[in-house]
Amino acid sequence: MDRQITHENTIIPNGLTNPPKERKDNIITAILLSFAFSFNLFVFAPLDSYFSGKSSFWFSIQTIIPIVLIVFSASLVFCLLVSLLMPKKVKPYLFALMISGLVCLYLQGNFLTRGYPTLDGSPINWKSMITKGTINTIIWVIIIVVPLVIAIFKKNIINTMAKIISIIIIGLEIVTLITVSITAPSYKDDTCYVSNANKFNISKQNNILLILSDSFESRYMTRITKERPDIVKNLNDFTYFNNTSGIGTLTNLSLPTIMTGELLPVGKNASDGTKECLQKTTFFDYMHEKNYRVKIYTESDFMHSVSIGDIDNLKKGCINQNTNAEVRKKVSKLIYKYSFFKYAPHFAKQRFVLDTAQFNSTIQYANKDVYTIDDKAFYNELNQGFHPSDDKNNFTLYHLNGPHPPATLNEKMVTVNWGKNVHEDERRYQQSISQMTILKTMIAKLKETNSYDNTTIIFAADHGNSIFLNPVLMVKPTNEKSEFKISSSPISLASDLVPFIKDTAAGKGKDAALFKIPEDSKRERYAYNFIFNKGLYDETISCITAFAVDGIASDFNSYKIAKDEYADGNPKNKYSLGDTINFNSLSENAYINGVFDNDNRTYGGHALVKVAFKEKIKQDLTAKLKIGSVYGEKQRLIIKANGKTVYDNALKNSNCEITFKIPKQAIQNNQLELNFELPDAMGSTGTAWNAYSAFIFHSISFE
């Protein structure tokens, strides 16, 4: 055999195509790339998704770890086999594609996630994001093409490139996982859960039943009263308060107040805020004094162990006490789908859309005693009737899915595939009629046990849909005998619901204060907008905007910004004259509030800048404020320095810079507080959590 000398002491047979050194290099590259690719998509993605929403998941990390390890191992073996068995000539191009996939997925999942809605079952308007999708596709194409071009013309550096990128991304992800696992809220595996037991046990004496139909907006009930007289005829004795103002824009922001009468505090996340509401309230004590059992059937995530003993069906213990293979499989499948939505390129995301409420529906496979929101199951059990046997009075709250998406139920409580031609709002309306079916059945079953007359029924919602702060409210007092009525009395769910329940428990019935509010009265009532600047479930409530509702609750123009209450910010570095302050909460040299971090857009009627100066300020200062956009035709801007007005003007131009003087007398203890008042702040999408805009502030400096 002919031999070819390649090194002083190495002789390789002629025709051998893969020298030992090159083969070893390919094996190392294949191992690193395969590990990095599999780790990124099948370990980092699901675990990062879990830790980022840890407080809203009912299961512990141990529940998904076995499946994660199995899937990761399978992916690693598959990638390794493909990489090692691929012909030598193809390897550079395979490695190039693996590099591209690794980088694309990492960037997509960690840096290209903004601009997508909450996965709550609502349909996503993909057509409105064509431009976003096109830009996203261009980014992917560029990242895919570049390594391929390198593989064609500089294939000798692909292995080095692959190893460097793999090590960097693996390192970044390991550090990230360690960080988020440490900073994520502790898993509450020893707290409490809402027991499903005795759901339809009622009292032979007095009952108060509160049906909370999630996202049932008042306008759906108004439409029912106009279009469905057959439904209305079953609602004798009820008063429909169509002018009810709500509490907050989402369930976890409204439910604490509905349960306790207390408002979520600023400066805490929703979970800790709920705990504070439950600790602070005297409502449960009052109901117990009136000899009432208190049962609340909602998702366990909305409760806290501090109320064990106050709420009769709140049980101590762990939800996932019976975690099994089926539970692991179901929640792991969901967590992967959840993370794939985040990591998939834009035009592939539609395949991974899910309703995050599906996570809670899996509880039933771990613990049959845990209450889960399932309207069909609730309706089927309701048909078996009530059990009037308690010696005590009874107060029960039933939290139902209502017309919350995905809206798939018709009025016969049958799941329907409405098809793309049926608008989402029409689906919600049809599902709202299913709630009337539940209410009708509840009335019938109460009458069967002769419990109807001694039962007060409250049919309400935690929030609405398009006008979030106009939820439905209908009330049937005890011993009421009348035709169905519609009242336009200005009712506040935030301030009137719990007092009405207490009035009812005190035996006032139709004499409760709720029924004494005149329809034409001008009363002070408030609804609230809770601002989470960086997130929703785990982040701190950075601001509570109070809306004074001075008209009809269904009219967006009735909501006027009354005040903004800000959380205390973290300590900041001292400010040096001439430096620039960027308008977001991450600013290092000033405390900023009132603007969103992602675009510096104002979100309420006020904004705030507080600085502590390094230098001793002995003279008046000149402030320079750069403004990016002005919403509408013009916006009035009032700036006060420690209470003294230093600027007041209506601005029409975007991309401008204004200057104003700050007298040294306004600087106290070498600190300056600027309050920005935005009286013309306007809303364009209804009273949602990001509705009110006035300006985009870029930066400010002082000289």
Side-chain angles (χ1 to χ4, degrees):
M1 178 183 294
D2 294 335
R3 297 182 181 274
Q4 181 179 15
I5 299 177
T6 60
H7 190 272
E8 182 179 1
N9 298 315
T10 305
I11 300 177
I12 300 174
N14 207 19
L16 191 63
T17 59
N18 197 8
K21 184 177 180 180
E22 184 179 358
R23 187 187 309 125
K24 181 180 179 181
D25 193 40
N26 282 337
I27 291 173
I28 294 173
T29 302
I31 291 172
L32 281 172
L33 267 179
S34 298
F35 185 91
F37 183 85
S38 301
F39 185 84
N40 175 57
L41 194 56
F42 299 112
V43 176
F44 178 76
L47 295 189
D48 182 53
S49 297
Y50 174 83
F51 286 121
S52 65
K54 188 177 180 182
S55 65
S56 60
F57 293 131
W58 64 266
F59 49 91
S60 68
I61 189 68
Q62 287 81 10
T63 305
I64 63 174
I65 283 294
I67 301 294
V68 167
L69 292 177
I70 291 171
V71 174
F72 165 69
S73 299
S75 173
L76 178 59
V77 170
F78 175 79
C79 291
L80 271 175
L81 287 175
V82 172
S83 301
L84 295 175
L85 296 177
M86 196 65 63
K88 176 188 174 184
K89 291 183 179 180
V90 181
K91 284 188 190 294
Y93 308 108
L94 174 64
F95 290 162
L97 288 174
M98 292 180 72
I99 292 170
S100 300
L102 176 61
V103 173
C104 284
L105 290 169
Y106 180 77
L107 292 178
Q108 184 73 50
N110 293 276
F111 301 100
L112 302 176
T113 58
R114 291 186 182 275
Y116 294 99
T118 302
L119 296 177
D120 63 356
S122 300
I124 297 174
N125 186 359
W126 295 104
K127 291 182 179 179
S128 67
M129 293 189 278
I130 295 296
T131 301
K132 181 182 183 67
T134 302
I135 295 172
N136 186 256
T137 301
I138 292 172
I139 293 172
W140 274 68
V141 169
I142 292 173
I143 295 174
I144 290 172
V145 168
V146 170
L148 282 175
V149 171
I150 293 174
I152 294 172
F153 297 103
K154 293 284 186 179
K155 65 178 63 178
N156 59 310
I157 70 170
I158 278 293
N159 282 26
T160 301
M161 179 178 171
K163 285 183 280 191
I164 292 173
I165 291 175
S166 297
I167 292 172
I168 289 174
I169 291 181
I170 291 170
L172 288 172
E173 291 181 339
I174 289 175
V175 170
T176 300
L177 283 180
I178 292 172
T179 302
V180 297
S181 66
I182 293 173
T183 58
S186 299
Y187 175 71
K188 299 177 291 186
D189 62 352
D190 61 346
T191 53
C192 64
Y193 66 90
V194 175
S195 172
N196 192 48
N198 304 319
K199 191 160 61 254
F200 296 111
N201 284 9
I202 57 175
S203 173
K204 292 180 180 179
Q205 301 178 52
N206 298 293
N207 298 288
I208 303 172
L209 304 183
L210 170 55
I211 301 99
L212 193 67
S213 185
D214 203 307
S215 77
F216 197 129
E217 189 169 316
S218 187
R219 65 188 175 93
Y220 293 134
M221 193 64 222
T222 297
R223 183 177 170 186
I224 288 172
T225 63
K226 294 177 180 179
E227 298 180 3
R228 296 297 301 269
D230 58 315
I231 292 176
V232 173
K233 73 178 183 181
N234 294 306
L235 297 176
N236 287 338
D237 310 327
F238 278 86
T239 299
Y240 166 40
F241 295 96
N242 64 3
N243 188 17
T244 300
S245 61
I247 301 166
T249 54
L250 294 171
T251 301
N252 66 330
L253 308 177
S254 303
L255 186 58
T257 304
I258 291 171
M259 293 190 299
T260 68
E262 304 292 337
L263 189 68
L264 276 176
V266 67
K268 295 189 176 182
N269 61 38
S271 178
D272 290 339
T274 298
K275 176 183 177 182
E276 183 169 312
C277 290
L278 291 167
Q279 287 176 316
K280 187 177 180 181
T281 186
T282 60
F283 172 61
F284 303 134
D285 291 336
Y286 181 88
M287 297 302 286
H288 291 149
E289 289 173 7
K290 297 300 180 181
N291 198 35
Y292 272 80
R293 294 187 188 277
V294 177
K295 297 183 293 181
I296 296 179
Y297 293 93
T298 185
E299 292 179 350
S300 300
D301 283 347
F302 297 132
M303 301 302 294
H304 197 279
S305 59
V306 295
S307 291
I308 292 175
D310 291 330
I311 300 171
D312 289 272
N313 65 317
L314 190 63
K315 304 298 182 182
K316 186 176 182 179
C318 175
I319 289 176
N320 64 341
Q321 56 188 331
N322 299 314
T323 299
N324 51 48
E326 184 178 19
V327 173
R328 294 183 191 279
K329 180 180 177 182
K330 288 182 179 295
V331 298
S332 297
K333 182 178 179 180
L334 288 173
I335 202 77
Y336 271 118
K337 190 174 184 180
Y338 181 60
S339 59
F340 287 171
F341 177 85
K342 184 178 177 182
Y343 278 75
H346 177 85
F347 290 113
K349 289 186 185 294
Q350 297 182 47
R351 298 175 60 87
F352 305 107
V353 174
L354 79 160
D355 179 6
T356 51
Q358 292 176 259
F359 284 105
N360 282 321
S361 68
T362 60
I363 293 175
Q364 58 188 299
Y365 300 101
N367 191 333
K368 299 292 184 182
D369 187 38
V370 177
Y371 179 78
T372 57
I373 296 178
D374 184 332
D375 286 6
K376 286 184 70 173
F378 183 91
Y379 175 71
N380 291 334
E381 192 174 348
L382 174 63
N383 270 294
Q384 299 174 22
F386 286 95
H387 311 289
S389 58
D390 285 350
D391 55 344
K392 287 188 174 184
N393 298 320
N394 171 67
F395 167 71
T396 304
L397 184 157
Y398 299 116
H399 188 179
L400 303 180
N401 188 60
H404 194 285
T408 58
L409 290 180
N410 65 13
E411 62 183 280
K412 296 182 179 179
M413 301 302 295
V414 175
T415 301
V416 178
N417 183 4
W418 296 107
K420 295 182 179 180
N421 293 329
V422 180
H423 191 273
E424 172 64 17
D425 194 61
E426 183 63 27
R427 300 182 194 183
R428 282 180 177 266
Y429 172 64
Q430 294 299 326
Q431 190 153 296
S432 70
I433 298 177
S434 77
Q435 303 298 291
M436 294 297 99
T437 300
I438 292 176
L439 181 57
K440 174 185 174 182
T441 304
M442 185 173 288
I443 292 170
K445 294 302 177 181
L446 286 169
K447 289 181 177 179
E448 285 181 6
T449 58
N450 297 317
S451 302
Y452 177 76
D453 288 339
N454 69 332
T455 299
T456 294
I457 303 175
I458 307 166
F459 185 89
D462 47 355
H463 58 84
N465 171 33
S466 59
I467 302 294
F468 283 81
L469 298 175
N470 181 211
V472 69
L473 177 63
M474 294 194 300
V475 178
K476 194 260 342 162
T478 56
N479 300 309
E480 177 70 5
K481 300 296 178 185
S482 64
E483 298 291 323
F484 176 77
K485 296 184 291 296
I486 299 177
S487 170
S488 59
S489 297
I491 306 299
S492 165
L493 204 66
S495 58
D496 295 332
L497 179 60
V498 167
F500 170 70
I501 296 172
K502 294 170 72 173
D503 279 353
T504 301
K508 294 183 179 180
K510 192 64 181 287
D511 292 326
L514 183 75
F515 288 97
K516 302 298 183 181
I517 301 171
E519 291 192 290
D520 59 352
S521 63
K522 298 289 185 182
R523 64 190 298 251
E524 187 178 77
R525 53 182 174 148
Y526 292 95
Y528 301 91
N529 204 13
F530 300 85
I531 304 296
F532 299 78
N533 212 23
K534 301 188 188 69
L536 181 61
Y537 294 105
D538 299 324
E539 295 297 333
T540 297
I541 300 172
S542 59
C543 174
I544 298 178
T545 297
F547 299 116
V549 188
D550 62 359
I552 302 300
S554 60
D555 183 359
F556 178 68
N557 294 315
S558 298
Y559 295 81
K560 310 298 182 185
I561 297 175
K563 63 178 181 178
D564 292 300
E565 181 185 357
Y566 296 117
D568 291 334
N570 294 324
K572 300 290 185 176
N573 297 329
K574 289 190 174 182
Y575 174 80
S576 296
L577 290 176
D579 288 351
T580 297
I581 298 171
N582 294 316
F583 264 90
N584 60 63
S585 65
L586 302 178
S587 174
E588 295 182 355
N589 55 354
Y591 170 56
I592 306 288
N593 223 323
V595 298
F596 285 112
D597 285 343
N598 58 337
D599 59 7
N600 295 355
R601 174 169 54 91
T602 56
Y603 53 64
H606 309 82
L608 178 68
V609 175
K610 290 187 348 186
V611 297
F613 295 99
K614 280 185 177 180
E615 302 94 335
K616 182 68 176 178
I617 304 302
K618 299 179 180 179
Q619 71 284 336
D620 296 348
L621 297 180
T622 298
K624 295 181 179 180
L625 173 65
K626 291 185 178 180
I627 298 173
S629 294
V630 177
Y631 284 82
E633 294 183 2
K634 63 179 181 179
Q635 288 283 338
R636 185 181 174 194
L637 175 61
I638 303 169
I639 304 175
K640 294 182 178 180
N642 289 333
K644 179 180 176 60
T645 300
V646 293
Y647 186 87
D648 186 347
N649 200 6
L651 299 175
K652 299 181 179 180
N653 299 323
S654 299
N655 296 315
C656 62
E657 180 179 276
I658 64 170
T659 61
F660 53 93
K661 293 289 185 181
I662 299 174
K664 63 181 181 180
Q665 293 83 359
I667 301 170
Q668 301 172 2
N669 299 320
N670 221 42
Q671 297 183 20
L672 172 65
E673 179 174 313
L674 289 183
N675 287 279
F676 297 75
E677 297 181 7
L678 319 170
D680 301 327
M682 59 193 298
S684 59
T685 60
T687 49
W689 51 89
N690 60 351
Y692 285 83
S693 300
F695 296 95
I696 288 180
F697 290 139
H698 278 174
S699 62
I700 191 169
S701 61
F702 305 99
E703 297 178 351

